Amino acid sequence: DPERDAFLFGTFPEGFIWSSATSSYQIEGGYDADGKGYNIWDTFANTPGNIANNDTGNIACDSYNKWEEDVRIIKELDLEYYRFSLSWSRILPDGTADNVNQAGIDYYNNLIDGLLADGITPMVTLYHWDLPQDLQDDYGGWLNETIIYDFGEYARVCYENFGDRVKLWLTLNEPWIIAQLGYGCGGFAPGVCADGTGSYVAAHNLIKSHAKAWHIYDDDFRATQAGRVGITLNSDWMEPYNRSLETDLNAAERAQQFHLGWFGHPIFVDGDYPEVMREMIDYSSEVQGYNESRLPTFTALEKEYILGSSDFFGLNHYTTGYASKPDEWVISDNPSYYNDYAVDFWKDPEWPSSGSDWLKSVPWGIRRLLEWIKDEYGDPEIYVTENGFSTKDIDDLNDPDRIDYYQSYIDEVLKAIEMDGVNVKAYTAWSLMDNFEWAAGYTERFGMHHVDFDDDDRPRTQKDSSLFYATVKANNGFPKPTEEPITEEPAV
Ligand SMILES: O=S(=O)(O)CCCN1CCN(CCO[C@@H]2O[C@H](CO)[C@@H](O)[C@H](O)[C@H]2O)CC1
């Protein structure tokens, strides 16, 4: 609707955080350097057939050796925040806190000190999908509740070593992706096919592991380190296809609860899964002959432990889809997450496309999603920890489509703040530079800097969008064009 769609422009609140992000497996390389243990993405990417062109992150952007370059290009844009993740198996090669790899500790200390020396504040993600392979081999990784202890102890090692200088932590990046794409046959590491069974167990253990890491900080580190620990959840905006149809409104709400609510509801509402998940999965499980629901349950104690275990709401958002109710809900013989929530979800082919099939540019979606989060989760402080755009033309330094995407999405965030009163504190552009885009390898590029993966030096080169983003940060938004054009008095 034209009123909502018009650019608002204007500046963001004083002190608004402008950042950019990367993650360890996607940029570091050094996959077997200096005592680092293998992780599930080392294994998955080095298994032919899993990744486009059989690309791997063995070298990636070579940030293990070129982290000073990364600090330099951040400084060059005068950005004051940088979000990156720690490689669990670089710090703890077998995943347990019994063996700390000092070279891994040193690498992150150098990076953190380098950022701080240039006035850049680090935001650190403990886990961005790269699980130590030994934990997957020893006990099934996220499928086994043993991981709750190991993740907690890993978090403790990170707080101990870096918490004197790192004051913004994220425990998990996108548990939905970890559970559904990693354990639900979604084409991500570790490539387990247990959709609708193992994916719910993995999510259950992810939620408890997150809470464990938050409580360890709250009990043992907050008093002396005074930082903030949160979680970052990804979600598309689920737009009811026909807003005058009750069934579509319900379908969109159901999709939102099964996607964002899966993790958001326990942590930010009442310690338990959304009602609609409990009802629909219990019912489907019974019909399918399971003697207990495929959706695990939390004890009363666990609910208390989980609720409130995040100091802010981290959001990764990229795109939107239409949601509508299918003609009928036929419960599938084989369990599946998508069958459990029975929603038709699709992208409008008219929406501007990107370099990724799943990513359409739909700016108004982020405003609606931010308002939904405000209403659903009690008006939390929200840090947008990822938002970005991919291009398939991987060598073009001129990237107007990415600039359009950033300008319109950032303006919608401004509307959410100024017009809807949403408490957004930060915006983070994904990504600082081209990197390993998971199953798409290097065929899809999200960077504001180009990286030449055919050059051993992995040179980073600014794209136009990096200068655009630097300008937005310098102006803290979009200063309104002066209302009254200044007209020179005609010379008398
Ligand atoms: O639907 S398809 O079957 O064709 C493949 C789906 C692939 N997903 C889409 C959603 N994306 C969520 C955001 O994922 C985030 O965004 C970035 C871009 O993906 C990643 O590079 C970041 O690491 C990740 O945090 C993760 C990858």
Side-chain angles (χ1 to χ4, degrees):
D1 95 37
E3 185 272 322
R4 282 180 68 95
D5 290 352
F7 273 115
L8 174 65
F9 289 147
T11 49
F12 282 70
E14 197 53 41
F16 189 81
I17 290 171
W18 298 97
S19 185
S20 71
T22 62
S23 86
S24 45
Y25 188 77
Q26 293 180 274
I27 69 165
E28 286 180 2
Y31 82 114
D32 61 353
D34 305 332
K36 171 182 167 290
Y38 290 134
N39 59 55
I40 58 175
W41 274 94
D42 290 316
T43 307
F44 193 75
N46 284 286
T47 304
N50 285 335
I51 310 295
N53 301 336
N54 287 328
D55 288 337
T56 75
N58 293 351
I59 301 174
C61 308
D62 197 19
S63 289
Y64 184 65
N65 297 303
K66 300 179 70 74
W67 59 269
E68 286 157 299
E69 258 302 274
D70 299 345
V71 177
R72 186 186 65 76
I73 64 175
I74 296 166
K75 182 68 185 163
E76 202 174 34
L77 299 180
D78 196 25
L79 295 179
E80 296 169 335
Y81 284 83
Y82 176 49
R83 176 183 173 228
F84 62 96
S85 78
L86 305 176
S87 172
W88 185 344
S89 63
R90 191 179 299 286
I91 294 171
L92 302 178
D94 67 19
T96 74
D98 305 338
N99 310 300
V100 177
N101 177 30
Q102 192 55 45
I105 298 290
D106 296 347
Y107 169 67
Y108 292 112
N109 273 327
N110 289 336
L111 172 59
I112 290 163
D113 293 344
L115 289 165
L116 292 172
D118 271 354
I120 301 160
T121 301
M123 172 183 250
V124 174
T125 308
L126 290 172
Y127 184 78
H128 199 123
W129 309 355
D130 40 5
L131 181 75
Q133 186 62 46
D134 284 354
L135 301 187
Q136 182 65 30
D137 295 344
D138 292 354
Y139 54 65
W142 294 106
L143 290 177
N144 190 315
E145 60 180 17
T146 309
I147 199 156
I148 298 165
Y149 174 79
D150 284 333
F151 184 69
E153 289 315 295
Y154 162 58
R156 187 188 301 280
V157 167
C158 297
Y159 301 148
E160 277 164 359
N161 282 278
F162 312 121
D164 57 319
R165 288 151 292 149
V166 173
K167 304 299 178 187
L168 272 176
W169 295 94
L170 292 164
T171 55
L172 300 171
N173 179 76
E174 302 189 352
W176 188 95
I177 298 281
I178 302 165
Q180 191 52 37
L181 298 192
Y183 292 86
C185 234
F188 271 28
V192 170
C193 280
D195 185 7
T197 52
S199 50
Y200 290 128
V201 171
H204 204 65
N205 290 327
L206 280 159
I207 292 165
K208 293 203 271 191
S209 300
H210 152 78
K212 180 79 174 174
W214 184 86
H215 278 282
I216 286 172
Y217 192 85
D218 201 42
D219 295 344
D220 302 343
F221 294 91
R222 191 185 297 279
T224 51
Q225 296 185 354
R228 311 184 84 190
V229 180
I231 187 169
T232 197
L233 306 177
N234 66 293
S235 183
D236 292 354
W237 170 246
M238 322 287 183
E239 175 68 15
Y241 184 58
N242 180 338
R243 282 182 170 265
S244 57
L245 265 184
E246 193 65 29
T247 51
D248 282 7
L249 293 172
N250 291 340
E253 180 65 19
R254 189 161 67 241
Q256 213 63 63
Q257 292 297 349
F258 264 79
H259 202 109
L260 195 54
W262 190 1
F263 304 92
H265 200 87
I267 296 167
F268 294 93
V269 179
D270 65 7
D272 204 356
Y273 293 116
E275 205 38 48
V276 68
M277 284 189 84
R278 174 53 62 204
E279 281 162 16
M280 292 183 79
I281 300 168
D282 288 3
Y283 174 69
S284 298
S285 304
E286 198 180 328
V287 168
Q288 289 159 339
Y290 286 84
N291 51 29
E292 61 178 12
S293 175
R294 289 180 281 103
L295 182 67
T297 52
F298 294 115
T299 65
L301 264 184
E302 286 169 338
K303 289 179 192 171
E304 259 180 69
Y305 192 71
I306 292 161
L307 178 58
S309 62
S310 188
D311 297 335
F312 54 87
F313 192 106
L315 173 69
N316 287 358
H317 174 75
Y318 288 85
T319 189
T320 286
Y322 282 128
S324 70
K325 176 187 173 302
D327 296 342
E328 53 176 330
W329 178 27
V330 177
I331 294 177
S332 55
D333 296 339
N334 301 320
S336 107
Y337 165 78
Y338 294 98
N339 181 257
D340 283 340
Y341 74 88
V343 170
D344 286 344
F345 185 70
W346 72 96
K347 315 280 164 83
D348 186 329
E350 296 300 304
W351 290 335
S353 55
S354 68
S356 309
D357 296 345
W358 56 273
L359 207 178
K360 302 287 182 186
S361 178
V362 192
W364 49 264
I366 196 169
R367 181 182 172 187
R368 290 191 191 275
L369 177 56
L370 286 167
E371 195 173 26
W372 189 88
I373 291 167
K374 173 182 187 320
D375 297 342
E376 179 72 14
Y377 298 128
D379 193 14
E381 286 194 355
I382 301 172
Y383 286 58
V384 175
T385 45
E386 282 180 34
N387 176 244
F389 186 81
S390 61
T391 48
K392 264 220 163 61
D393 181 345
I394 58 181
D395 287 320
D396 195 345
L397 300 180
N398 174 268
D399 52 350
D401 292 352
R402 180 172 288 106
I403 291 174
D404 286 350
Y405 180 96
Y406 277 133
Q407 181 172 60
S408 35
Y409 269 82
I410 290 169
D411 190 64
E412 291 295 331
V413 173
L414 183 62
K415 291 179 190 173
I417 296 170
E418 296 299 320
M419 300 163 90
D420 308 330
V422 184
N423 198 356
V424 187
K425 294 293 188 196
Y427 177 87
T428 306
W430 181 272
S431 175
L432 172 68
M433 60 186 158
D434 291 341
N435 57 53
F436 179 81
E437 178 50 26
W438 309 111
Y442 302 106
T443 64
E444 295 174 19
R445 305 295 182 88
F446 279 83
M448 294 189 290
H449 289 79
H450 174 269
V451 177
D452 183 350
F453 296 98
D454 296 325
D455 181 332
D456 289 348
D457 278 345
R458 297 292 191 277
R460 285 89 157 123
T461 313
Q462 286 179 342
K463 298 180 193 173
D464 293 352
S465 55
S466 66
L467 300 175
F468 166 80
Y469 190 62
T471 307
V472 172
K473 184 267 171 188
N475 292 316
N476 194 25
F478 311 107
K480 280 185 186 289
T482 44
E483 311 299 340
E484 313 75 37
I486 300 163
T487 49
E488 295 298 316
E489 288 301 310
V492 283

